[in-house]
Amino acid sequence: METREIVDKLLEKAILKKASDIFFLIKESVQINLRLNSGIEKLSEHSEKQGLEIINFLKYAAQMDISEHRRPQVGAIEYDYQGTKYYLRLSSLGDFADRESLVVRIIYQIENSNYFFEEQIKLLENLSKKRGLIITSGPTGSGKTTTMYELAKKVGRNKVVMTIEDPVEVREDSFLQAQVNSEAGIEYLDLLKAALRHRPDILIIGEIRDTNTARIAIDAALSGHLVFATVHAQSTLQTISRLEGLGIRGDELANCLTAVSYQRLLPTESNLACLLDIATGENLAAAIKSKVRSDFISWQENLNLLKKGGQISNETYQLYQEG
């Protein structure tokens, strides 16, 4: 079988299983695993020679240097499967023995988004009509970018929407999308400063990752922009603690933070759906003032409703109790 055919079959299986990542690990052979919502699942195993051919094929398609096996590299591929475009983000890294591993992240399009409670996304849409900062938190692969884009598309008609990402995950022609390029000296902070000079109505920040990024997000929201941003946090209200840890004061959060949303993608019988937990209004204000915070607003309550309604299994209910 040709390498291209093998790659197509691997990607087809990963997409059909709604995998978020494909892992290529070289040992005596090359093991290929998927990250599913239920955990890691083995997909296939190949000889070292064939495995390296698969990795090099993907690296070449992503415009990565196939002769470099030690230095970390990133790349991207636009992949068409049954008329739907999927964006693949590739990351390679060599280990101490110069054996290269590769991870392929699959970015699913916005049209595939599905929320358990439509009133939750509607609430965020209504809140997005105000100015200020809306933070979406959750682990990698929980659909944070999809949610931000969906909200921006709903409230951003006839407005200038600009995104700053590393890298751009979903292409959206109606947005002005800027991407970090370290090799060209284009860093996150530089793009954020330039973005504000473009005077966007809505600014999407792919990830608040350090004090400088947090500072610009807060200042943009305080100056009247609508800002969507993501941050890695383990629960809804601990997102506030994360921002404080990046040097943001409580009074600044009180003045510009419109909502904090935590989300996870939960498996149903036929697909994945997104469960949100949203802090806004009095709940958010009280959490900002408090020195000791709980974790969630209504996460466990909504999980209960989903289990009783048969929308999720008991196993899923137990697995996501802590967010």
Side-chain angles (χ1 to χ4, degrees):
M1 188 182 295
E2 294 286 335
T3 303
R4 177 185 287 275
E5 292 181 72
I6 296 173
V7 169
D8 283 338
K9 287 187 178 297
L10 291 174
L11 291 174
E12 178 183 357
K13 290 177 181 177
I15 289 170
L16 291 175
K17 287 177 173 285
K18 297 294 180 185
S20 62
D21 302 274
I22 311 173
F23 298 91
F24 297 80
L25 303 174
I26 300 179
K27 303 211 181 274
E28 288 78 16
S29 59
V30 175
Q31 299 173 13
I32 303 178
N33 299 327
L34 301 179
R35 184 188 296 281
L36 307 178
N37 216 48
S38 56
I40 301 297
E41 178 182 296
K42 183 176 179 179
L43 180 60
S44 61
E45 189 169 344
H46 302 264
S47 68
E48 184 175 356
K49 179 178 181 296
Q50 188 174 62
L52 288 173
E53 288 175 355
I54 294 169
I55 290 173
N56 283 336
F57 180 92
L58 287 164
K59 287 176 64 179
Y60 181 79
Q63 299 184 325
M64 298 161 71
D65 184 355
I66 62 172
S67 66
E68 176 60 68
H69 304 293
R70 294 174 296 178
R71 182 171 57 88
Q73 294 188 75
V74 294
I77 301 171
E78 185 178 299
Y79 184 75
D80 189 284
Y81 175 65
Q82 294 189 347
T84 299
K85 284 189 172 67
Y86 298 86
Y87 299 102
L88 312 180
R89 284 172 46 186
L90 283 72
S91 174
S92 67
L93 176 66
D95 67 8
F96 71 96
D98 290 344
R99 293 175 301 192
E100 187 174 37
S101 63
L102 180 71
V103 180
V104 178
R105 165 152 296 177
I106 304 173
I107 308 299
Y108 296 90
Q109 288 288 65
I110 288 175
E111 287 73 18
N112 291 339
S113 62
N114 182 26
Y115 296 90
F116 280 111
F117 299 103
E118 285 299 322
E119 61 268 26
Q120 291 185 324
I121 194 68
K122 188 65 179 177
L123 171 60
L124 283 180
E125 181 184 345
N126 289 334
L127 292 170
S128 299
K129 294 173 184 176
K130 304 178 181 180
R131 294 177 180 179
L133 174 62
I134 295 180
I135 296 281
T136 302
S137 63
T140 300
S142 58
K144 299 186 294 296
T145 298
T146 296
T147 294
M148 288 195 304
Y149 268 53
E150 184 156 325
L151 292 170
K153 286 187 72 173
K154 287 181 176 179
V155 301
R157 294 183 182 90
N158 301 317
K159 294 181 179 179
V160 176
V161 181
M162 187 168 184
T163 79
I164 308 295
E165 299 174 79
D166 181 19
V168 169
E169 293 189 344
V170 179
R171 297 185 186 180
E172 174 52 56
D173 292 337
S174 63
F175 296 172
L176 176 58
Q177 296 176 284
Q179 179 171 289
V180 172
N181 186 338
S182 298
E183 290 185 3
I186 304 172
E187 300 294 346
Y188 225 102
L189 195 57
D190 303 316
L191 286 174
L192 281 169
K193 290 177 179 177
L196 294 180
R197 291 195 291 270
H198 270 63
R199 300 192 62 188
D201 299 293
I202 301 172
L203 177 62
I204 296 176
I205 300 174
E207 182 185 346
I208 293 179
R209 54 181 60 182
D210 54 36
T211 299
N212 289 330
T213 310
R215 180 77 268 152
I216 288 181
I218 293 295
D219 288 346
L222 287 170
S223 65
H225 294 82
L226 171 60
V227 180
F228 294 108
T230 74
V231 68
H232 288 291
Q234 294 185 346
S235 67
T236 314
L237 298 179
Q238 291 306 314
T239 302
I240 300 169
S241 303
R242 172 73 176 137
L243 292 171
E244 289 176 335
L246 292 173
I248 306 303
R249 301 193 311 269
D251 62 306
E252 292 176 313
L253 292 174
N255 285 326
C256 75
L257 193 57
T258 302
V260 172
S261 174
Y262 176 86
Q263 67 178 65
R264 293 296 304 269
L265 294 176
L266 276 60
T268 67
E269 284 189 5
S270 59
N271 211 325
L272 294 174
C274 184
L275 179 61
L276 301 168
D277 190 65
I278 303 166
T280 189
E282 293 181 0
N283 287 327
L284 181 58
I288 291 172
K289 290 179 182 177
S290 177
K291 291 184 179 180
V292 179
R293 301 183 179 101
S294 57
D295 290 319
F296 297 105
I297 301 298
S298 56
W299 183 262
Q300 282 83 10
E301 177 186 338
N302 284 329
L303 274 180
N304 253 320
L305 289 174
L306 294 175
K307 187 182 77 167
K308 288 179 179 177
Q311 292 167 276
I312 61 173
S313 66
N314 186 62
E315 181 184 2
T316 298
Y317 172 78
Q318 296 294 336
L319 186 63
Y320 290 91
Q321 275 292 302
E322 303 301 320

